[in-house]
Amino acid sequence: MELNIKYWIRFSLYNLLIVALLGVLMRYKIGFDFPFFSQKNAQHAHSHFAFAGWITHTLYALLINFIQQKLSSEYLKQYKMLLIANLFCSYGMLVSFFIQGYGVISIILSTLTIVIACIFAFYYFKDLKKIDNENSTKSWFKAALWFNIISSLGTFYLAYIMISKDFNEHLYLAAVYFYLHFQYNGFFIFSCMGLFTNNIKKLLPDYKHDRLLFKLFFWSCIPAYFLSTLWANIPIWLYVIVVIAAIVQIIAWFKFLNNVKKASSLSANFQKFSKYLFLFVTIAFTIKLILQLGSTIPVLAKLAFGFRPVVIAYLHLVLLAVISVFVLAYLYTFNFIKVNKTTLIAFSVFIIGIFFNELVLAVQGFASFSYISIKYVNETLFGISLLLLTGTVMIVISQRKKVKES
């Protein structure tokens, strides 16, 4: 018996719809008078559910798909229970954070997601031994799950701050960015790279795997955390290491793109729409790495971290334009979702929404450097959030046919 991954991916798409709906509610509250819920609590619910219910659930399902042919029904039941447990905690956090913010229930549930991550990693590391060591995807997935566990240290410290009320702004920000870095640049990115490298031969049969790429990304990812703490006046020796890490990541990325380009010139099985989707991700990730390197310039770092629109634009760039679009592109390209005309339109609407969201946030960020207020920016962002919601609604509608659980 195998798990029907398409069934579990259906939950992912509904969860993405919920994330988009929360985004609309928050944007409406910012742009208009709407006193019926706490914006801060909604932000916590939005971010936690986006991470656990949308991205993590989807990655868990796709990672299980990678190894399930090597496993017996008994082992697959363990993974099925972990998927159910993670979803239960995700929906629980969605409600509890929205109602009470950081409270007893929400902290317990977020802690349980960390326990689930550790159990998942324990089983997965053991089951990966059944995969041929020549498969370079193993390294990406191992690193991804380790980074997922490591990121929890930031979460635990945040919970301690909330419970003890012992607030220190610098330590609070350091903990937040620690969690975000090892989720975004660790667990999410390494999982995506593993998924892509595992299937790249289907798209580019002449692609040659380069193990050096993994080593460059892995060893640069760890010190790259301090890119998020440049505002804390870190020692000069650490600053030099951080700059080197940012440069190494760009070198590794362009080396990867060069390998893809060489293989593309020989053979390409990309569907046209898939090619556009992955091109969008490529451009977004390239911009992300360039901005990352630019943040090593002290003046730019202070400006970036000093203005909320800039931080939000960067976080959305990674989570939406890079991770979310990659996941959707992967699901589309490798037939994990139903593909029809509605799917194509839905994806297009969603991506157009992401593009304009980043554009407006970027303009707002640059304007804030000069303390210039842009008229109707909040109303515009609300309109864009409706566009993103429309895209996700259409994605769900495009998957109308029922998928049987197994």
Side-chain angles (χ1 to χ4, degrees):
M1 182 196 79
E2 290 187 359
L3 288 183
N4 187 344
I5 300 302
K6 290 183 179 181
Y7 171 81
W8 296 99
I9 293 300
R10 181 66 61 87
F11 284 97
S12 300
L13 301 180
Y14 281 114
N15 292 349
L16 178 60
L17 173 59
I18 294 171
V19 172
L21 181 59
L22 276 175
V24 169
L25 285 175
M26 290 190 296
R27 281 297 172 192
Y28 186 85
K29 188 175 178 66
I30 292 172
F32 308 94
D33 184 24
F34 195 67
F36 299 106
F37 64 90
S38 165
Q39 181 76 347
K40 191 172 183 180
N41 290 355
Q43 287 174 353
H44 288 313
H46 177 74
S47 59
H48 281 82
F49 190 73
F51 277 47
W54 160 229
I55 301 296
T56 298
H57 170 74
T58 309
L59 293 179
Y60 281 171
L62 294 175
L63 262 64
I64 292 169
N65 184 67
F66 173 70
I67 60 169
Q68 70 169 337
Q69 291 185 348
K70 301 286 185 179
L71 304 179
S72 64
S73 298
E74 182 181 350
Y75 281 104
L76 286 173
K77 284 181 182 178
Q78 296 172 337
Y79 285 111
K80 181 179 177 180
M81 293 306 298
L82 289 172
L83 286 174
I84 293 171
N86 184 69
L87 281 174
F88 174 81
C89 290
S90 298
Y91 295 126
M93 287 192 295
L94 174 67
V95 176
S96 59
F97 272 113
F98 192 85
I99 294 173
Q100 65 173 180
Y102 272 97
V104 175
I105 296 175
S106 57
I107 289 175
I108 289 174
L109 290 170
S110 59
T111 303
L112 284 175
T113 62
I114 296 170
V115 173
I116 292 168
C118 293
I119 296 172
F120 187 95
F122 173 77
Y123 284 132
Y124 205 81
F125 290 151
K126 186 172 62 173
D127 294 332
L128 271 178
K129 294 177 182 177
K130 299 172 184 177
I131 303 294
D132 188 355
N133 286 328
E134 294 302 311
N135 192 326
S136 60
T137 300
K138 288 177 64 174
S139 298
W140 292 101
F141 286 164
K142 280 183 180 179
L145 293 175
W146 273 119
F147 285 137
N148 192 24
I149 294 170
I150 291 170
S151 71
S152 65
L153 297 176
T155 306
F156 282 129
Y157 190 76
L158 285 173
Y160 166 76
I161 290 175
M162 297 298 176
I163 294 171
S164 67
K165 309 295 183 183
D166 183 20
F167 186 81
N168 179 298
E169 185 178 3
H170 281 183
L171 291 177
Y172 173 81
L173 288 174
V176 169
Y177 289 131
F178 185 92
Y179 170 74
L180 290 176
H181 173 74
F182 285 108
Q183 282 284 299
Y184 278 61
N185 300 307
F187 176 43
F188 295 168
I189 294 294
F190 277 71
S191 293
C192 291
M193 287 295 290
L195 290 169
F196 193 71
T197 54
N198 181 55
N199 288 279
I200 197 169
K201 288 284 189 179
K202 297 176 184 177
L203 304 174
L204 305 172
D206 297 295
Y207 178 84
K208 294 181 180 179
H209 290 284
D210 186 349
R211 291 186 179 273
L212 178 61
L213 283 173
F214 169 77
K215 293 177 182 178
L216 291 174
F217 273 112
F218 178 81
W219 291 111
S220 61
C221 180
I222 298 169
Y225 157 66
F226 293 99
L227 283 163
S228 305
T229 63
L230 294 175
W231 43 264
N233 298 317
I234 61 176
I236 187 65
W237 62 268
L238 183 55
Y239 172 75
V240 172
I241 293 175
V242 169
V243 173
I244 292 172
I247 294 172
V248 167
Q249 288 193 347
I250 287 182
I251 292 172
W253 176 240
F254 279 100
K255 183 177 175 60
F256 170 71
L257 293 182
N258 187 54
N259 291 346
V260 170
K261 184 180 177 182
K262 286 180 180 178
S264 299
S265 64
L266 296 172
S267 58
N269 296 332
F270 268 109
Q271 299 175 38
K272 192 173 183 180
F273 192 67
S274 292
K275 195 178 290 186
Y276 290 142
L277 291 174
F278 284 118
L279 179 62
F280 183 89
V281 175
T282 300
I283 293 171
F285 192 62
T286 303
I287 293 171
K288 182 258 187 196
L289 292 177
I290 292 171
L291 291 175
Q292 189 175 272
L293 181 60
S295 72
T296 61
I297 301 172
V299 175
L300 293 180
K302 287 183 179 179
L303 284 173
F305 288 107
F307 294 94
R308 182 176 175 80
V310 179
V311 175
I312 292 178
Y314 179 79
L315 293 178
H316 277 138
L317 173 69
V318 182
L319 188 63
L320 280 176
V322 178
I323 306 298
S324 292
V325 176
F326 172 85
V327 169
L328 290 173
Y330 185 88
L331 297 179
Y332 171 87
T333 304
F334 299 107
N335 301 312
F336 287 98
I337 59 174
K338 188 179 178 182
V339 175
N340 50 45
K341 188 176 180 180
T342 306
T343 312
L344 299 181
I345 296 172
F347 276 36
S348 300
V349 170
F350 187 70
I351 289 173
I352 289 170
I354 292 173
F355 173 78
F356 281 111
N357 185 65
E358 287 303 310
L359 180 63
V360 174
L361 285 173
V363 171
Q364 185 185 24
F366 283 120
S368 63
F369 291 161
S370 303
Y371 299 96
I372 298 173
S373 177
I374 302 177
K375 288 184 178 181
Y376 307 115
V377 67
N378 290 326
E379 291 81 358
T380 302
L381 286 169
F382 169 68
I384 292 170
S385 70
L386 287 175
L387 189 62
L388 288 166
L389 178 61
T390 301
T392 56
V393 169
M394 291 179 69
I395 290 173
V396 169
I397 291 173
S398 72
Q399 308 299 303
R400 288 187 302 271
K401 188 177 179 180
K402 291 184 179 181
V403 180
K404 187 179 178 181
E405 178 190 3
S406 62

